[in-house]
Amino acid sequence: MKQILDACCGSRMFWFDKKNPHVEFCDNREVPYHEFYPNRYIEVCPNTVCDFRALPFESSSFYLVVFDPPHLTNAGPTSWTRLKYGCLDKDWPQVLNDGFWECMRVLKPYGTLVFKWSEVDIPLREVLAAIRAEPLFGHRGGKNMNTHWMCFMKFPEEEKE
């Protein structure tokens, strides 16, 4: 069993080692390696194809979970941004809530969840209201300072029922 889970890995953009043997890379899609835009290539090749709302792992399996769900709501059905980043529908608050708590379920007690969110279409305050959880700490970065990296810990006494 691997120690780290990336619940929605996409093309593994932020991983330094995109084939790290300690990481279980998951996504709900597979995209073969190809040029999606002139001189821009993509491949989505998860170890496990699954929905981050229904992870096929036992509870308390991972020490670290990375949760970088799609953050766009307005990407066209055939756009390269949808292909690269995915897209959320109108039910995004429930999708993110379910995904966040599913990631917490597979964390070991006192495990760490790193949640990345980009405020392109949905403000962070709305996402935090949807998941009903508060990060321990975080950092804002990116070219437009709209990408948030947040850290959560699974405290057993706070598990969602």
Side-chain angles (χ1 to χ4, degrees), residues 93-114:
Q94 190 63 54
V95 168
L96 293 181
N97 178 282
D98 294 349
F100 178 87
W101 290 105
E102 180 68 351
C103 288
M104 291 299 271
R105 179 188 68 78
V106 300
L107 261 180
K108 291 182 180 286
Y110 303 104
T112 303
L113 184 144
V114 176

Side-chain angles (χ1 to χ4, degrees), residues 38-135:
N39 297 314
R40 302 225 180 187
Y41 298 86
I42 189 169
E43 179 181 37
V44 177
C45 185
N47 303 120
T48 302
V49 176
C50 63
D51 186 322
F52 60 70
R53 296 171 294 176
L55 297 168
F57 307 109
E58 291 183 23
S59 297
S60 302
S61 296
F62 298 95
Y63 291 97
L64 174 65
V65 174
V66 178
F67 187 47
D68 179 15
H71 55 266
L72 301 172
T73 58
N74 295 312
T78 59
S79 70
W80 69 268
T81 53
R82 180 183 284 261
L83 178 66
K84 188 171 181 180
Y85 299 109
C87 193
L88 294 168
D89 292 323
K90 292 177 184 171
D91 63 344
W92 69 263
Q94 190 63 54
V95 168
L96 293 181
N97 178 282
D98 294 349
F100 178 87
W101 290 105
E102 180 68 351
C103 288
M104 291 299 271
R105 179 188 68 78
V106 300
L107 261 180
K108 291 182 180 286
Y110 303 104
T112 303
L113 184 144
V114 176
F115 185 178
K116 178 179 168 265
W117 185 256
S118 184
E119 289 185 303
V120 174
D121 290 336
I122 305 167
L124 178 62
R125 70 181 178 283
E126 292 180 27
V127 171
L128 293 175
I131 66 171
R132 297 190 289 277
E134 186 175 328

